């Protein structure tokens, strides 16, 4: 790489304080690493929290600014001497966190729960993908099939989140599923549930336009939509959901991709005896939870965190084979220099997925 190569990056110094700076170009010190040139970075809810508050639980500061971004795609720029799976010019989606590979969690096969995980744009130390160049292990890059564009590839991260949640939900052929929230992850959960064989997938949201899109995205073979009535209790809304969508004694599986307290409660009340609940959305840190129903109905409740072994692979295969069609999900693309506008757009809840281009030069 030429010695005057620069690495323009978008760093967050605190709430509403983003600065564009040149950071050092990453250097290939581990032979298994690659450097990629970032093509697109998607904006997600957590980016908006970072933009507004400077972090979530852990925070950036004037002394410790951090490059933002974690949902990214790019082109391989350079590969370490031990890398045989990728060559410069390959187009990839990236899994933006890599574990230590040595601890008990890693050895047990659940590497995404590794306490030493180095996840992009996670304070205080790990820089994100909103830069020209980005370094990571080759095994966390997923080569794209011809049918997936670099902009669509930035959606593989939220898709992997959905694949992970649906795997934990243990959907079987014919399962009746409710997904709360019809933003990107909720939409993907609904579509992946369909691919896992669900016979009914009801998407629930409080915004009419999100439900209209969900209906189209999930398709009329299994997809249904419902808007909760804010004047009713979660118990009443659950009863209505089950009746209107003929879910019998209740849904087999309920997934919350909204993080809203009322959704979590409605989800539990809408399940049949012995049903399964999966929490994938992040909202308020503590909520009131229908614990008696959990017990009396012997409901299985599971938390779903990011993604793990095989989740990116499966997501990419589902899209690559045309089983999940991404058209309409990307609603706006901002140039690198307008990253803060992209966060503002996401904050206002406009469209579905906003992308930020990598620096052009
Ligand atoms: Zn995200
Ligand atoms: Zn580990």
């Amino acid at each position: 790489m030429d010695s005057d190569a620069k690495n323009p990056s978008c760093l967050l110094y605190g709430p509403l304080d983003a600065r564009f700076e040149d950071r050092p170009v990453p250097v290939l010190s581990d032979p298994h690493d690659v450097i990629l040139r970032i093509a697109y970075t998607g904006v997600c809810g957590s980016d908006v929290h970072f933009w507004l508050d400077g972090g979530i639980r852990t925070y950036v500061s004037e002394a410790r600014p951090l490059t933002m971004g974690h949902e990214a795609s790019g082109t391989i720029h350079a590969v370490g001497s031990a890398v045989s799976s990728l060559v410069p010019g390959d187009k990839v989606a990236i899994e933006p966190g890599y574990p230590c590979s040595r601890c008990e969690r890693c050895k047990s096969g659940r590497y995404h729960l590794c306490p030493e995980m180095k996840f992009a744009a996670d304070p205080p130390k790990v820089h994100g993908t909103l830069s020209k160049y980005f370094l990571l292990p080759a095994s966390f890059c997923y080569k794209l099939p011809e049918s997936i564009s670099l902009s669509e590839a930035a959606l593989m991260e939220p898709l992997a989140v959905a694949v992970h949640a649906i795997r934990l939900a243990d959907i079987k052929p014919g399962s009746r599923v409710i997904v709360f929230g019809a933003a990107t992850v909720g939409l993907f959960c609904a579509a992946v549930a369909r691919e896992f064989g669900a016979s009914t997938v009801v998407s629930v949201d409080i915004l009419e336009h999100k439900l209209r899109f969900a209906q189209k995205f999930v398709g009329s073979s299994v997809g249904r939509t419902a808007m909760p009535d804010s004047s009713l209790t979660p118990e009443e809304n659950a009863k209505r959901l089950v009746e209107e969508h003929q879910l019998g004694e209740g849904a087999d599986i309920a997934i919350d991709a909204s993080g809203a307290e009322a959704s979590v409660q409605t989800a539990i009340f809408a399940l049949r005896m012995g049903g399964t609940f999966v929490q994938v959305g992040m909202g308020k840190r503590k909520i009131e939870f229908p614990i008696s129903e959990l017990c009396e109905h012997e409901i299985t409740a599971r938390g779903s965190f990011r993604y793990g072994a095989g989740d990116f692979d499966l997501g990419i295969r589902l899209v690559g084979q045309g089983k999940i069609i991404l058209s309409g999900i990307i609603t706006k693309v901002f140039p690198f220099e307008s990253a803060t506008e992209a966060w503002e757009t996401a904050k206002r809840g406009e469209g579905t997925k906003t992308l930020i281009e990598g620096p052009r030069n």
Side-chain angles (χ1 to χ4, degrees), residues 44 46 70-71 157:
C44 94
S46 70
H70 62 275
E71 303 179 359
E157 197 264 7

Side-chain angles (χ1 to χ4, degrees), residues 182-344:
T184 311
V185 170
L187 288 168
F188 285 163
C189 281
V192 176
R194 179 196 65 207
E195 293 307 311
F196 270 58
S199 61
T200 304
V201 183
V202 186
S203 293
V204 179
D205 205 285
I206 51 172
L207 295 171
E208 179 67 45
H209 71 269
K210 290 209 187 273
L211 292 179
R212 268 201 306 274
F213 185 76
Q215 184 62 62
K216 240 182 29 208
F217 186 72
V218 184
S220 53
S221 58
V222 300
R224 319 276 300 251
T225 62
M227 191 186 291
D229 181 340
S230 58
S231 70
L232 299 179
T233 65
E235 234 169 324
E236 289 164 340
N237 269 314
K239 191 159 176 275
R240 214 185 66 163
L241 251 174
V242 169
E243 280 170 9
E244 278 179 14
H245 296 280
Q246 287 118 43
L247 301 176
E249 289 168 9
D252 299 300
I253 288 141
I255 293 155
D256 179 58
S258 75
E261 183 166 15
S263 294
V264 175
Q265 294 169 347
T266 307
I268 298 295
F269 291 127
L271 282 170
R272 64 161 166 79
M273 300 284 279
T276 298
F277 170 73
V278 177
Q279 183 69 46
V280 62
M282 298 269 209
K284 210 158 71 166
R285 299 203 65 81
K286 288 179 184 172
I287 61 161
E288 197 175 295
F289 190 89
I291 200 80
S292 306
E293 278 67 23
L294 186 84
C295 194
E296 290 162 1
H297 297 173
E298 203 164 287
I299 285 165
T300 303
R302 313 191 71 166
S304 183
F305 185 55
R306 291 179 185 153
Y307 24 73
D311 294 331
F312 268 76
D313 283 317
L314 180 54
I316 288 171
R317 235 175 297 145
L318 290 173
V319 176
Q321 294 177 351
K323 298 201 155 120
I324 293 179
I325 296 171
L326 300 174
S327 63
I329 295 262
I330 299 167
T331 37
K332 211 150 190 194
V333 182
F334 285 88
F336 184 68
E337 299 71 29
S338 307
T340 61
E341 262 178 74
W343 297 330
E344 283 292 330

Side-chain angles (χ1 to χ4, degrees), residues 170-184:
D170 196 20
I171 289 175
K172 296 195 169 58
S175 289
R176 292 180 286 199
V177 181
I178 308 177
V179 179
F180 291 82
T184 311

Side-chain angles (χ1 to χ4, degrees), residues 7 26 34-38 67-70 72 77 94-98 119-121 126-136:
N7 189 21
V34 300
I35 296 172
L36 70 155
R37 175 121 186 221
I38 296 291
T67 310
M68 290 289 94
H70 62 275
H77 177 76
I94 66 157
E95 179 167 352
Y98 52 94
F119 196 84
V126 189
H127 287 278
T129 60
L130 273 179
S131 59
K132 184 171 177 177
Y133 298 109
F134 187 75
L135 178 131
L136 83 168

